[in-house]
Amino acid sequence: LKLRNLANGKVQSTSMETRYKTPQGDTVWMLENLFITQETTQGNVRRITGLLLDISPSKQLQLELANREQEML
């Protein structure tokens, strides 16, 4: 839905966290920031640009913290 709204020009930018699996089977978490960088003269989206940031270390810490909190219950 976020990508559809961006592609339709309903929003100018969006971000989302996405989990990927590498060919080796590892999990990689990416923060994806996407934004419209070019529109046609009619206002239609022509180009979307994105920035990807590996947030795997942060996600790993969040998981470890959640596990510790669960152990304490």
Side-chain angles (χ1 to χ4, degrees), residues 28-50:
V28 177
W29 282 91
M30 301 297 284
L31 174 62
E32 302 177 25
N33 294 308
L34 305 170
F35 46 95
I36 297 172
T37 54
Q38 189 175 29
E39 296 178 344
T40 65
T41 55
Q42 295 81 22
N44 297 322
V45 176
R46 177 176 283 182
R47 181 174 293 145
I48 295 173
T49 302

Side-chain angles (χ1 to χ4, degrees), residues 52-64:
L52 299 174
L53 178 64
D54 183 356
I55 58 170
S56 300
S58 174
K59 283 293 189 179
Q60 182 62 35
L61 288 174
Q62 287 177 359
L63 179 62
E64 289 173 13

